[in-house]
Amino acid sequence: MKLDMKQQLIKKCLFPAAGYGTRFLPATKATPKEMLPVLTKPLIQYGVEEALDAGISTMAIVTGRGKRAIEDHFDISYELEHQIKGTSKESLLEEIRSVITKCTFSYTRQTEMKGLGHAILCGETLIGNEPFAVILADDLCKGDGKGVLAQMVALYKEYQCSIVAIEEIHKEETNKYGVIDGELIADGIYRVNNMVEKPDPKDAPTNLAIIGRYILTPDIFDIIRDTKPGKGGEIQITDALLEQAKQGKVLAYKFKGKRFDCGSVDDFVEATNYFYALQNIRNK
Ligand code: G1P
């Protein structure tokens, strides 16, 4: 499909990263959960690399108190570079150095924890009036062929509306996710007509769960501003997206690949084993 000149490209990716990560205490007492490593790389770096792979180089990060390590990670450490210059360890910094060179990073703080919708609204100042991607770094994704966000950006070029990534889950787990319902319009693509934040299994419309990848059109900011606190007393992005969905403007996309919920210890261990096996295959 040819790109319409008026069409806006996705140039920015927002990372809500202010949450406490209480499921990983005590590890997250003084370390941001986004900095927990799978092998030698922190979760948020996997997210940034996924955004880069989707052609996005402007990273907008919503942080909070105790999250300064994220800013330091995406900056050059001259002292460290000096220490390891000319040693065998130098190559260990190559990947992050290349990420730093290719991207720009900007930060804002969410001062109160009022939910994911609120965190995204805090990012408005960094995003402005253009469509953007959102990555929740504790959902670690490995796309099949193409990265998951790259798959979604390709879809956005065609449909020009908000998109959420989904996967099928066991029905008894619907209370951990935003759940969608919709009409199948193409292979793996639904036009969303309903979405509910963390419903009880008995109330869930389907077992299609939203995972931490979104493409949002900028009208979402005004909608969030008008969104009342929902599940857990928090401002939910799922509730705001439902308003767009009522106008037929939200797609749900069954991504191709794997996703690990690295906010849970079980999946974190599974992700570590998976990426370790992958690395060993590559090194052979
Ligand atoms: C958030 C969203 C939820 C979504 C999930 C994906 O929940 O509110 O709709 O399904 O991310 O990871 P959280 O995991 O932050 O509680």
Side-chain angles (χ1 to χ4, degrees):
M1 192 184 180
K2 224 169 139 219
L3 208 66
D4 175 351
M5 287 313 283
K6 277 187 287 182
Q7 197 177 53
Q8 281 187 291
L9 296 172
I10 309 289
K11 292 180 295 201
K12 297 181 181 171
C13 185
L14 188 71
F15 292 80
Y20 297 124
T22 45
R23 281 189 287 173
F24 268 88
L25 282 170
T28 48
K29 186 165 174 251
T31 302
K33 62 175 172 149
E34 296 76 13
M35 289 301 293
L36 295 178
V38 166
L39 306 189
T40 54
K41 204 153 69 177
L43 286 172
I44 193 157
Q45 190 180 331
Y46 286 92
V48 167
E49 288 175 4
E50 187 183 327
L52 259 178
D53 167 70
I56 300 171
S57 58
T58 304
M59 310 299 160
I61 306 183
V62 179
T63 66
R65 285 177 292 280
K67 300 278 187 166
R68 270 181 301 191
I70 298 177
E71 291 183 47
D72 290 340
H73 184 69
F74 293 112
D75 196 357
I76 292 171
S77 165
Y78 287 105
E79 209 177 309
L80 194 58
E81 302 250 341
H82 178 73
Q83 280 295 325
I84 65 170
K85 201 172 169 56
T87 74
S88 58
K89 304 249 172 64
E90 212 176 353
S91 63
L92 299 178
L93 284 183
E94 261 165 29
E95 220 174 1
I96 181 67
R97 223 185 275 141
S98 134
V99 166
I100 294 168
T101 313
K102 289 179 189 150
C103 303
T104 63
F105 296 88
S106 53
Y107 300 86
T108 189
R109 279 195 179 201
Q110 182 185 16
T111 49
E112 291 169 285
M113 297 303 113
K114 292 201 219 159
L116 180 56
H118 178 257
I120 291 174
L121 184 57
C122 289
E124 182 182 21
T125 165
L126 305 176
I127 299 293
N129 188 26
E130 57 184 276
F132 61 103
V134 177
I135 287 185
L136 307 184
D138 47 13
D139 271 343
L140 178 52
C141 291
K142 177 85 182 83
D144 214 351
K146 245 184 194 179
V148 174
L149 201 58
Q151 296 170 32
M152 294 171 75
V153 165
L155 202 62
Y156 178 81
K157 283 183 186 155
E158 203 175 321
Y159 289 92
Q160 301 277 299
C161 65
S162 290
I163 304 170
V164 297
I166 51 164
E167 72 176 359
E168 282 183 38
I169 55 158
H170 293 297
K171 193 89 194 230
E172 60 275 20
E173 296 206 308
T174 56
N175 57 4
K176 293 191 199 157
Y177 298 94
V179 175
I180 69 111
D181 198 0
E183 178 203 346
L184 191 65
I185 57 167
D187 186 26
I189 305 170
Y190 296 79
R191 189 162 304 277
V192 176
N193 53 35
N194 191 16
M195 47 208 310
V196 195
E197 180 67 6
K198 304 195 174 107
D200 277 346
K202 64 175 177 15
D203 303 322
T206 66
N207 67 337
L208 299 173
I210 302 169
I211 64 124
R213 299 291 179 278
Y214 304 77
I215 287 182
L216 301 174
T217 53
D219 54 313
I220 199 74
F221 292 126
D222 277 341
I223 301 175
I224 299 173
R225 256 186 284 279
D226 287 340
T227 301
K228 303 265 171 312
K231 193 85 187 182
E234 296 187 333
I235 297 169
Q236 301 293 350
I237 189 63
T238 307
D239 296 341
L241 275 165
L242 178 59
E243 290 310 305
Q244 285 188 331
K246 284 180 188 161
Q247 300 158 33
K249 290 183 182 164
V250 180
L251 295 183
Y253 168 62
K254 233 186 220 179
F255 69 94
K256 295 187 176 62
K258 273 179 89 65
R259 166 250 175 196
F260 302 92
D261 170 15
C262 287
S264 94
V265 176
D266 284 353
D267 257 30
F268 195 98
V269 172
E270 208 184 301
T272 303
N273 291 332
Y274 177 84
F275 281 89
Y276 186 63
L278 211 63
Q279 191 184 62
N280 286 346
I281 291 168
R282 275 203 210 111
N283 291 343
K284 268 193 186 139

